[in-house]
Amino acid sequence: MAEEQSWTLVREALAGIADLANQYGSQGIDLHFLHHQHYHQNIKTSHEVQRIFNQMAPNGPETPTAAKLEELINIYLPLVERKFPQHNPVDIIVITDGVATDQHALPEVIVNAAHRLERSQVPEEMFGIQFVQIGTDEEAAFALRELDDHLAKQYKIRDIVDTTPYDPQHGAFNTDYMLKILLGGVNKVLDNGGPVPNELLSPLAVSYGSR
């Protein structure tokens, strides 16, 4: 998928998510970009998402996904890092169209986060990481499946990662597609046919990167 087209699809999908979150009284979503240190907090409207995307560009010399994910974990995991957290569940969403240039470091970053959750006895539904692929890069899809299928068993940790390699046969990359993924990352109610829980529409940390 062309880079510009991917950028537009992600922008419009997240714009719809922001409006939906606002409808349910959410605090909004936080929006991070792979090659920028500054990030945008508590985004509540589609207009805000579109304005931010229009000011950015997807280009960058590398795709340091592991480094960015570690940064996000250090920002958001402390919000729930206790046995009885008072904060709403947190889901970190990483949207990408290519393989990370620091792919080798991703398992360690994830395993360390899982160990922190265990040490603090954080309930399992309180923190999750979602990798979402846009585009049909087969190498990227394989890398995502490896993260989802093997880390928990290999390192004997709780399963905090879900990955969604893009499959155009499952529908267009749009707000409905993203909603299913985002809510399923922390709570399986939607997957089982239940209602959308309002508390899951509060802070979602979304990071978008492109090769």
Side-chain angles (χ1 to χ4, degrees), residues 1 12 32 95 97 100 113 115 131 155 158 165 175 191 202 204 209:
M1 185 175 292
E12 296 307 311
H32 299 251
I95 305 172
D97 66 356
H115 286 324
F131 289 90
Y155 293 96
R158 65 170 67 185
T175 296
D191 287 337
S202 64
L204 296 169

Side-chain angles (χ1 to χ4, degrees), residues 42-117:
N42 303 326
I43 306 303
K44 296 182 178 180
T45 69
S46 57
H47 175 73
E48 289 180 273
V49 172
Q50 290 164 343
R51 177 182 57 80
I52 291 166
F53 265 78
N54 290 341
Q55 293 173 346
M56 298 291 183
N59 298 325
E62 296 183 335
T63 309
T65 307
K68 176 59 72 171
L69 178 60
E70 185 173 32
E71 177 185 320
L72 297 182
I73 288 170
N74 287 332
I75 292 172
Y76 293 101
L77 195 151
L79 299 176
V80 297
E81 201 170 2
R82 53 191 58 84
K83 186 174 182 179
F84 301 107
Q86 301 300 307
H87 199 276
N88 288 332
V90 172
D91 203 8
I92 295 177
I93 314 300
V94 181
I95 305 172
T96 185
D97 66 356
V99 178
T101 50
D102 56 357
Q103 183 73 24
H104 65 283
L106 271 172
E108 182 179 0
V109 170
I110 294 166
V111 170
N112 287 343
H115 286 324
R116 286 176 60 177
L117 292 164

